[in-house]
Amino acid sequence: MDKKIAIIPTYNEKENIENIIRKVFSLEGDYHILVIEDGSPDGTAGIVKRLQVEFPERLFMIERQGKLGLGTAYITGFKWCTAQGYDYIFEMDADFSHNPDDLPRLYHACSEEGADLAIGSRYCNGISVINWPIERVIMSYYASVYVRTVLGMKVYDCTAGFKCYRRRVLETIDLDKVQMKGYGFQIEMKYSTYKLGFKVKEVPIIFVDRKEGTSKMSSGIFGEAFWGVLKLKMRKIKPRQA
């Protein structure tokens, strides 16, 4: 059976973390979870440790000292998961904006439909976002239009953070050369996957804004993405040297 694991970065997610873990573990297909915990002062790590006693073979956690950024959290997770031999590695949020019931659809796009990267896409079938303010929807949608135009990458949801990678993609990308840390990280990873010749497929999802906890978005995140895309256009993407 394929080894599958979802990486979930956390910072102050005590309201969500137990529910999201139990929901993922309720799915058919033996999904594992790796939590990347950035020193949440609200006790998120303690909740995960309690659940590790209940799920010792399926639930793992890496604790980091302080809030070090989304991109570095995922890169830490990618390195751990590839070293452990997982075949399919997912990114997802802790707050249920990404519906765990869509994990099997992303897995199927890779395992059965030939994708190397499957993206849970808010925009490939129109706009499928619930409970976001209209200005945030517009900013996110047109951010993807901007990225698609500048980079020439045929992806409608360039900043999506709900994804499934085949292991070989993450073993080919030089993770130590990834430069963007915030939501620009999501763009850079998709572009690197695309430029290295892997097959990218978008899977339509419905994105629902969080009900519990607080958003980690900021204007600085979008600023990094805007300028980072221009720099990314100038870079030559090379595979990692073995």
Side-chain angles (χ1 to χ4, degrees):
M1 179 183 288
D2 292 327
K3 293 180 66 178
K4 304 181 290 293
I5 190 165
I7 302 171
I8 304 179
T10 55
Y11 184 77
N12 286 351
E13 291 290 355
K14 68 177 183 180
E15 297 94 345
N16 296 302
I17 191 63
E18 180 167 358
N19 289 336
I20 196 80
I21 288 170
R22 291 192 182 279
K23 176 60 179 175
V24 171
F25 287 162
S26 75
L27 300 173
E28 291 185 8
D30 192 32
Y31 291 84
H32 292 189
I33 292 173
L34 172 64
V35 174
I36 308 293
E37 207 327 270
D38 269 8
S40 301
D42 71 345
T44 299
I47 296 170
V48 177
K49 288 174 182 175
R50 172 170 55 80
L51 291 170
Q52 283 183 298
V53 176
E54 186 176 346
F55 303 105
E57 304 298 323
R58 300 179 70 186
L59 179 58
F60 308 95
M61 178 168 62
I62 296 174
E63 293 186 79
R64 308 196 302 170
Q65 298 304 311
K67 196 174 179 184
L68 301 176
L70 182 75
T72 64
Y74 275 124
I75 288 172
T76 296
F78 292 157
K79 290 179 177 180
W80 188 91
C81 293
T82 54
Q84 298 298 317
Y86 283 93
D87 301 298
Y88 296 90
I89 299 157
F90 300 80
E91 294 182 21
M92 70 181 300
D93 292 344
D95 60 10
F96 284 92
S97 55
H98 301 147
N99 185 347
D101 287 331
D102 289 324
L103 286 170
R105 298 175 60 230
L106 295 178
Y107 168 62
H108 185 269
C110 289
S111 64
E112 302 298 329
E113 298 175 2
D116 297 301
L117 166 60
I119 300 167
S121 178
R122 299 163 290 186
Y123 305 131
C124 66
N125 278 357
I127 297 176
S128 300
V129 177
I130 296 173
N131 293 341
W132 262 11
I134 186 63
E135 61 271 17
R136 188 168 169 187
V137 175
I138 291 170
M139 182 182 293
S140 174
Y141 179 81
Y142 282 103
S144 282
V145 172
Y146 164 73
V147 173
R148 198 160 63 245
T149 302
V150 172
L151 297 181
M153 180 172 60
K154 294 180 180 178
V155 172
Y156 284 90
D157 194 349
C158 295
T159 60
F162 192 21
K163 300 187 287 186
C164 175
Y165 291 95
R166 287 181 182 267
R167 183 175 72 232
R168 66 190 182 206
V169 177
L170 300 176
E171 290 176 335
T172 302
I173 293 173
D174 192 339
L175 298 173
D176 292 327
K177 296 287 180 63
V178 175
Q179 296 181 4
M180 289 194 268
K181 307 300 183 189
Y183 277 76
F185 165 81
Q186 303 291 10
I187 299 167
E188 186 171 350
M189 287 296 296
K190 293 181 187 72
Y191 186 62
S192 297
T193 302
Y194 165 75
K195 290 296 285 184
L196 290 170
F198 291 107
K199 182 179 178 181
V200 179
K201 180 179 177 63
E202 291 186 88
V203 176
I205 64 163
I206 296 174
F207 179 95
V208 181
D209 197 20
R210 67 164 62 235
K211 293 184 175 66
E212 304 288 345
T214 57
S215 173
K216 314 303 188 293
M217 293 293 288
S218 70
S219 58
I221 284 172
F222 280 101
E224 181 212 40
F226 179 87
W227 296 111
V229 166
L230 296 176
K231 294 176 183 176
L232 196 55
K233 177 71 173 177
M234 299 297 108
R235 279 172 49 200
K236 188 171 182 61
I237 306 297
K238 296 180 179 179
R240 182 177 68 87
Q241 297 299 309

